[in-house]
């Protein structure tokens, strides 16, 4: 199912780099998006990049993980999900895989694995090698093909170590083989400042998400402490232990002022 005329790989990389940087920032705060796909990678009329829909993002932390919204295995969009996501496992390299699918699609005009059902897509991911991008885009640089193969490796451990490493490779490719000056896909130079401002807004939104999670955890801890102290106050009153009651009441007041 082709999506249309393939885009010059240099322009595809330039378009996706701001989103890779936004994801690197999210990963730095232990947030994995889990649903990278074209409909969540937006460009305004002026070419400003916008990464949307963190609704099923996962916050990674210690031995446990928490989702911002939604739970369960196999979260994501089948055509863009990393193999490990089908079993509910999510790592930062899962976003690298999904972004790699989008890049593959822009460069070749089609997704790497196409099937009629989600189960059939999973079967292809598990049993078939990645179709070489050059078979759909003749003349594609070998280094670009190698980059896509690494980003779309079946095993997360065989992908780029992190989003920063992926970004580094993309930037190196652009330096070695820059986009011709007259590309029909080129974003206008005057929009670059607006794009940077949009990226900064995305970082602020992610910071707010992280802070909201911390605030929620603190509120839960504080409420548990309030409940404990309230129970001890009631017990002390029943025992006519007024010194203990006064002490506990002071702790409750202090907790409320904290």
């Amino acid at each position: 199912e082709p999506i249309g005329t393939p885009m010059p790989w240099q322009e595809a990389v330039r378009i996706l780099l701001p989103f890779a940087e936004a994801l690197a920032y999210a990963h730095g705060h232990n947030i994995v998006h889990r649903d990278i796909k074209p409909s969540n990678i937006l460009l305004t009329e002026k070419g400003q990049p916008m990464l949307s829909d963190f609704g099923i993002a996962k916050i990674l932390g210690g031995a446990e993980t928490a989702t911002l919204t939604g739970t369960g295995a196999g979260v994501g969009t089948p055509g863009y999900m990393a193999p490990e996501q089908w079993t509910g496992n999510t790592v930062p390299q899962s976003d690298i895989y999904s972004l790699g699918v989008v890049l593959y699609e822009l460069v070749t005009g089609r997704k790497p694995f196409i099937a009629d059902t989600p189960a059939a897509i999973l079967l292809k991911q598990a049993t078939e090698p990645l179709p070489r991008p050059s078979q759909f885009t003749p003349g594609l640089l070998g280094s670009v093909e190698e980059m896509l193969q690494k980003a779309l490796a079946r095993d997360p451990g065989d992908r780029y170590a992190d989003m920063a490493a992926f970004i580094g490779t993309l930037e190196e490719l652009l330096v070695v083989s820059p986009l011709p000056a007259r590309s029909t896909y080129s974003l206008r130079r005057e929009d670059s400042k607006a794009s940077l401002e949009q990226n900064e807004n995305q970082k602020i939104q992610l910071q707010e998400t992280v802070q909201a999670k911390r605030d929620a955890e603190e509120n839960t801890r504080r409420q548990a402490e309030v409940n404990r102290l309230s129970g001890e106050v009631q017990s002390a009153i029943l025992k006519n232990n007024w010194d203990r009651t006064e002490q506990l009441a002071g702790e409750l007041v202090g907790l409320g002022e904290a």
Side-chain angles (χ1 to χ4, degrees), residues 139-159:
L140 186 67
L141 284 181
S143 54
V144 174
E145 188 163 75
E146 290 173 4
M147 172 270 294
L148 288 169
Q149 289 174 331
K150 186 173 180 66
L152 295 173
R154 185 177 299 154
D155 187 336
D158 292 331
R159 297 175 207 150

Side-chain angles (χ1 to χ4, degrees), residues 163-178:
M163 191 64 74
F166 188 29
I167 290 170
T169 297
L170 295 176
E171 291 176 336
E172 288 174 7
L173 287 171
L174 286 179
V175 171
V176 173
S177 184

Side-chain angles (χ1 to χ4, degrees), residues 97 104 112-113 128-133 135 145 148-149 152 154:
Y97 184 98
Y104 186 107
F113 297 106
E128 297 182 7
L130 179 75
R132 295 190 62 175
Q135 76 182 74
E145 188 163 75
L148 288 169
Q149 289 174 331
L152 295 173
R154 185 177 299 154

Side-chain angles (χ1 to χ4, degrees), residues 28 44 46 97-98 103-104 151 195 207 218 230 248 254:
T44 68
K46 293 185 177 182
Y97 184 98
S98 298
L103 183 55
Y104 186 107
S195 297
Q207 287 175 334
E218 176 60 21
S230 296
L248 291 169

Side-chain angles (χ1 to χ4, degrees), residues 8-140:
W9 70 262
Q10 297 98 326
E11 188 56 37
V13 167
R14 284 186 178 180
I15 288 175
L16 293 186
L17 268 174
F19 301 103
E21 291 166 354
L23 288 167
Y25 181 86
H27 293 173
H29 289 78
N30 295 326
I31 297 176
V32 180
H33 189 287
R34 298 202 297 174
D35 197 23
I36 302 299
K37 57 185 176 181
S39 60
N40 289 336
I41 294 177
L42 311 177
L43 288 174
T44 68
E45 292 181 356
K46 293 185 177 182
Q48 299 172 12
M50 298 178 63
L51 181 60
S52 68
D53 196 4
F54 274 82
I56 63 170
K58 174 170 283 190
I59 298 176
L60 305 176
E64 299 181 352
T65 61
T67 54
L68 296 183
T69 62
T71 58
V75 178
T77 301
Y80 300 91
M81 286 169 57
E84 64 273 9
Q85 285 183 258
W86 294 90
T87 57
N89 297 319
T90 304
V91 292
Q93 285 79 6
S94 304
D95 282 347
I96 292 176
Y97 184 98
S98 298
L99 194 64
V101 173
V102 176
L103 183 55
Y104 186 107
E105 190 171 13
L106 290 174
V107 170
T108 67
R110 51 159 284 158
K111 292 189 283 291
F113 297 106
I114 299 173
D116 294 331
T117 65
I121 293 175
L122 172 59
L123 182 62
K124 285 191 171 188
Q125 284 182 328
T127 61
E128 297 182 7
L130 179 75
R132 295 190 62 175
S134 57
Q135 76 182 74
F136 308 113
T137 307
L140 186 67

